[in-house]
Amino acid sequence: MKHKKSSKKNGCLIALEGGEGGGKTTQIMRLTRRLKKAGMDVISVREPGGTVISEQIREVVLSSKNVGIQDTTEVLLFQAARAQIYGEVVIPALKAGKVVLMDRTRDSSVVYQGMVRGFGRKLIEELNEISTQKTRPDLTLLLDVPVKVGLARRADSGKVDRLDMEAKDFHEQVRKAYLTLAKENKNKGWVVVDAEQTEGEVEKALWELVSQKLKI
Ligand code: TYD
């Protein structure tokens, strides 16, 4: 199948990735605030979600009621939510020159569905190329935290979804897969940030990386 060529973009796409309890959501809020203060035109979105339609898909794919969901259904729902957010929000924003901060994106599928669920990286990357219209992050920040720490933080927050209920071994595999990707892509815009540090320390580390990237 022929795909459209990547849409030329002037903005900057920054992704936060990582396993459970790394603090991505809090850090996205803090980064957004700092970027706005610095006068940047910034939007932040999460995957799955970020549009009315994608949030409906999120509800289906993450609801703890849907334990019967097939692995293939899961793969396709994450991609469906992604196609919608890239078409509706991410690509127009990048074309308009904005900074787009994403709480998870295509590499979450590479890790969770491709490497851990076993669909393979090749298939997931092919689907990612369709759903993102060949858009890749300019910078990927991996918030890395030991599984025990991440799951304890998640339990404290009381916010547990279907994937949080997976066994500890699943989360260990997720962490390992992310670290493998980070190692492979060290010179291609991936940076590992130690997310076991305090929120303030992580915020400072992320700000240094982002402000350097955006030349603020
Ligand atoms: P969410 O509560 O947003 O994640 P977080 O743990 O970052 O707070 O839930 C998203 C869950 O969906 C998370 O367990 C990872 C998973 N996921 C995938 O398996 N594949 C994907 O492509 C995406 C975007 C998320």
Side-chain angles (χ1 to χ4, degrees):
M1 183 185 156
K2 268 196 166 174
H3 307 316
K4 269 188 289 181
K5 267 229 152 140
S6 172
S7 24
K8 181 154 166 29
K9 55 178 186 141
N10 308 306
C12 186
L13 177 55
I14 300 175
L16 266 70
E17 289 282 358
E20 321 298 317
K24 291 186 296 299
T25 310
T26 310
Q27 294 299 338
I28 290 252
M29 276 163 49
R30 293 182 177 209
L31 260 179
T32 307
R33 211 181 304 140
R34 280 194 183 227
L35 285 167
K36 281 191 177 151
K37 235 179 163 177
M40 304 299 290
D41 199 353
V42 57
I43 62 161
S44 62
V45 286
R46 69 171 177 184
E47 270 202 47
T51 73
V52 172
I53 294 169
S54 303
E55 288 291 333
Q56 291 175 61
I57 300 172
R58 178 187 176 91
E59 176 57 28
V60 174
V61 73
L62 292 183
S63 169
S64 27
K65 285 188 221 141
N66 291 340
V67 279
I69 212 160
Q70 297 280 311
D71 286 353
T72 310
T73 314
E74 181 183 291
V75 167
L76 297 173
L77 285 175
F78 281 122
Q79 294 295 345
R82 181 163 304 131
Q84 189 65 33
I85 198 178
Y86 273 77
E88 197 180 321
V89 178
V90 177
I91 290 171
L94 292 173
K95 279 190 176 157
K98 295 185 188 190
V99 176
V100 180
L101 293 178
M102 296 195 76
D103 186 344
R104 295 192 181 280
T105 186
R106 54 188 292 159
D107 290 303
S108 283
S109 283
V110 173
V111 165
Y112 285 80
Q113 283 69 49
M115 297 164 84
V116 177
R117 295 272 196 234
F119 282 85
R121 289 167 63 172
K122 189 167 169 283
L123 171 71
I124 300 297
E125 283 294 25
E126 279 169 11
L127 294 172
N128 277 339
E129 287 290 89
I130 299 171
S131 59
T132 66
Q133 301 180 40
K134 295 184 187 285
T135 309
R136 285 177 183 276
D138 299 291
L139 179 65
T140 301
L141 303 163
L142 172 57
L143 296 194
D144 179 58
V145 70
V147 170
K148 233 173 121 181
V149 177
L151 290 182
R153 282 182 185 167
R154 183 46 59 100
D156 285 348
S157 76
K159 203 193 92 190
V160 174
D161 64 41
R162 189 174 57 80
L163 279 112
D164 294 327
M165 297 176 344
E166 291 281 351
K168 185 162 173 279
D169 180 54
F170 173 90
H171 298 288
E172 292 289 0
Q173 288 181 52
V174 166
R175 184 179 188 211
K176 205 170 141 218
Y178 267 122
L179 289 171
T180 302
L181 283 188
K183 209 168 159 194
E184 281 178 21
N185 293 293
K186 215 165 102 191
N187 303 317
K188 293 188 210 150
W190 275 64
V191 185
V192 182
V193 174
D194 172 8
E196 208 181 345
Q197 303 178 89
T198 65
E199 276 181 11
E201 285 166 335
V202 176
E203 179 181 354
K204 195 161 161 267
L206 292 177
W207 180 245
E208 265 168 33
L209 294 161
V210 169
S211 55
Q212 197 182 10
K213 178 77 191 173
L214 297 172
K215 302 188 174 68
I216 296 174

